[in-house]
Amino acid sequence: MNLPSRVILKEVGPRDGLQHEKRSVSIANKVTWINMLSDSGLRYIECSSFVSSSWIPALSDAEEVFKQIKRHPDAIYCALVPNVKGMERALASNVDELSVFISASGTHNRKNINKSKQETYPVLDKVIKGSLAEKKRVRGYISMVFGCPYEGEIAIDEVKKICEKLFHLGVYEISLGDTIGIAHPKQVERLLTELKNYFGSLDNFALHFHDTRGLGIANSLVGLQAGIQTFDGSLGGLGGCPYAKGASGNIATEDLAFMLEQMGIATFIQPEALMNAAIFIEKVLNHNLPSHQLNLYKKGVDSWNLFAQK
Amino acid sequence: MNLPSRVILKEVGPRDGLQHEKRSVSIANKVTWINMLSDSGLRYIECSSFVSSSWIPALSDAEEVFKQIKRHPDAIYCALVPNVKGMERALASNVDELSVFISASGTHNRKNINKSKQETYPVLDKVIKGSLAEKKRVRGYISMVFGCPYEGEIAIDEVKKICEKLFHLGVYEISLGDTIGIAHPKQVERLLTELKNYFGSLDNFALHFHDTRGLGIANSLVGLQAGIQTFDGSLGGLGGCPYAKGASGNIATEDLAFMLEQMGIATFIQPEALMNAAIFIEKVLNHNLPSHQLNLYKKGVDSWNLFAQK
């Protein structure tokens, strides 16, 4: 098994996770949680989204969150932005990095931001140019890469075309999103093989799996074997997707981290601090999160220390 | 990705799953459930265990279960037996196949059946000889193959030795058990590579994962890639393990089946019938089961038909 020696875990819980929660989370709790995340060794945290508050009310406090968090010197605090207005707000909040997004499915893209893919590129162009002018790197998300509830499976050629366009516009990394959690290992391998052949390497790609059908960790393993070294996750497995009934959260950061550490791949995570951050947000949200590690920890199992459990 | 064209799913829910349940399940409900399992396309069902009723009260009705189930002509109905007395009861109940077991960990073996490994082999010898004399095949389980709460990681050489002994005694297949759910993909690959080198092929091996840490499906994928074509699972992800706090059930049969079918590997499962069987046992047990497919099905998602979900 050909595996990397280290992996970057990008924590998207405060954005992708919290945006779907019915219960509103106070600014103070968000700030506490984000601080706990960076204290647990996570070095990349997507803290919020600078979108219109009518669109995602749960994230309307992005400015305050960025103002109040304690910035760990080694951590990158980023935010998602849909347009130039969002970019301006993000830059005014001194985010370290911005993320932009587009859907591989035209239908989903239109339902999400009321634009065709072609109409989206000029907006991304402005956001990326504006961010780079301020010396802020930009990450690109492509959602529904493995299929969409409206259009079915997405042609790999279309994914390639979007990637090429995003790199051309200036993103440094593309996160390939299985937004509704339908990807399977063979499909992941097929896509990554084609992208690797086309782009020469997978160094500038990340994977973003949701665990709706329980295949998120297996899909991540395929990604690792193909050469991916950056994975998005959400602490506790927090999250969902409004476009597919029953779609569940991102893969749980701690479950992926556990697998990686067991296989000797460094994540620089402090397990106990990470588990306490998961306990904290679960209490705040007042519902159980699906993470396996969290559920063991709650039962008093020192799960990362495998044989201390008798 | 080198994958088989078909896989045999061995359903152990009625034995490995139900033995840990606090709520007692009536004979009628067990029989109905087992009939639903065979109606859903499962062709191998471990229905019970012929052990002393003081040891596992939940399975003390093994005779009645075997008497009342409707035998599907293409399905194999098997039972676990710990000793000659269990074998005699199983043979009197006309089971199609018997399973025997031993732990890779001496300490666990002693806690489980109050015998050292060396003391166990003569018992297995009698059971296997007695079964073969009645033209019944015998399957061997090795538990704690990837590690044990008492002894830590188990040396691969020890696992090889036990396998060799079991094959020599006459089992046709060995199911390698991650009884407490601690295996990780690299470890699975390492063990299977060594077993393949030593025994020439993996044709007579099966994998038996528990999903305690959420790695069961990823571990199964590694098994598939190594050449394993037989997997144990438990519908709904039912089960546990009394020897490790927090240990959860087997991998959910339906989650594994979903991944296999998506990758073009035939399982001969009828998804809707399988989901109805999972709903049935969940209602009987009166607690939620962890399976992803089951949870989607309960939300009204036609999950196997991926793009019918919008």
Side-chain angles (χ1 to χ4, degrees), chain B residues 87 91 95-98 100 124-139 166-173:
Chain B
M87 174 199 75
L91 293 175
V95 304
D96 297 320
E97 242 187 63
L98 290 83
V100 296
L124 301 187
D125 186 31
K126 281 185 202 147
V127 170
I128 295 167
K129 278 209 178 79
S131 305
L132 293 175
E134 298 294 319
K135 311 258 184 269
K136 305 289 189 184
R137 300 205 299 177
V138 182
R139 182 178 205 227
L166 289 182
F167 284 133
H168 177 74
L169 292 176
V171 306
Y172 75 94
E173 177 175 278

Side-chain angles (χ1 to χ4, degrees), chain B residues 151-304:
Chain B
E151 298 193 359
E153 198 160 343
I154 304 291
I156 290 182
D157 278 347
E158 178 57 21
V159 177
K160 270 188 211 165
K161 231 185 277 176
I162 302 172
C163 291
E164 190 151 49
K165 187 78 184 165
L166 289 182
F167 284 133
H168 177 74
L169 292 176
V171 306
Y172 75 94
E173 177 175 278
I174 292 173
S175 177
L176 302 162
D178 179 21
T179 315
I180 54 171
I182 55 156
H184 62 77
K186 209 167 152 180
Q187 190 187 15
V188 174
E189 188 198 42
R190 200 184 305 133
L191 174 67
L192 295 181
T193 302
E194 292 219 22
L195 291 179
K196 197 174 186 172
N197 290 341
Y198 193 76
F199 292 100
S201 102
L202 293 173
D203 290 353
N204 299 110
F205 287 96
L207 288 171
H208 180 104
F209 288 121
H210 284 245
D211 200 32
T212 311
R213 286 161 185 80
L215 305 189
I217 298 287
N219 287 334
S220 303
L221 178 66
V222 174
L224 274 176
Q225 289 177 283
I228 297 284
Q229 300 192 39
T230 305
F231 293 86
D232 300 351
S234 169
L235 195 64
L238 198 65
C241 170
Y243 295 101
K245 201 171 161 189
S248 62
N250 300 89
I251 53 168
T253 305
E254 60 269 45
D255 288 350
L256 178 60
F258 171 76
M259 180 178 79
L260 296 170
E261 290 285 343
Q262 286 298 309
M263 300 199 297
I265 300 170
T267 65
F268 308 107
I269 289 297
Q270 308 296 325
E272 187 145 4
L274 192 67
M275 290 298 88
N276 286 331
I279 296 272
F280 174 81
I281 196 65
E282 196 178 59
K283 276 195 188 136
V284 166
L285 295 170
N286 199 28
H287 65 75
N288 288 333
L289 296 175
S291 144
H292 289 77
Q293 287 298 323
L294 174 59
N295 284 299
L296 286 167
Y297 190 78
K298 280 156 62 186
K299 289 177 188 159
V301 178
D302 180 7
S303 172
W304 294 62

Side-chain angles (χ1 to χ4, degrees), chain A residues 239-305:
Chain A
C241 171
Y243 295 101
K245 201 172 161 189
S248 61
N250 300 89
I251 53 169
T253 305
E254 60 270 46
D255 288 349
L256 179 61
F258 171 76
M259 180 178 79
L260 295 170
E261 291 286 343
Q262 286 298 307
M263 300 199 299
I265 300 170
T267 64
F268 308 106
I269 289 298
Q270 309 296 325
E272 187 143 5
L274 192 67
M275 291 298 89
N276 286 331
I279 297 271
F280 174 81
I281 196 64
E282 196 179 59
K283 276 196 190 133
V284 166
L285 295 170
N286 200 31
H287 65 76
N288 289 331
L289 296 176
S291 144
H292 288 77
Q293 287 298 324
L294 174 59
N295 284 297
L296 285 168
Y297 190 78
K298 281 157 59 186
K299 288 176 189 159
V301 178
D302 180 7
S303 172
W304 294 63
N305 186 5

Side-chain angles (χ1 to χ4, degrees), chain B residues 18 21-27 29-30 57-58 61 284-285:
Chain B
L18 291 187
E21 286 294 328
K22 285 192 189 118
R23 195 186 185 94
S24 117
V25 178
S26 71
I27 295 169
N29 279 334
K30 288 182 182 178
D61 52 10
V284 166
L285 295 170

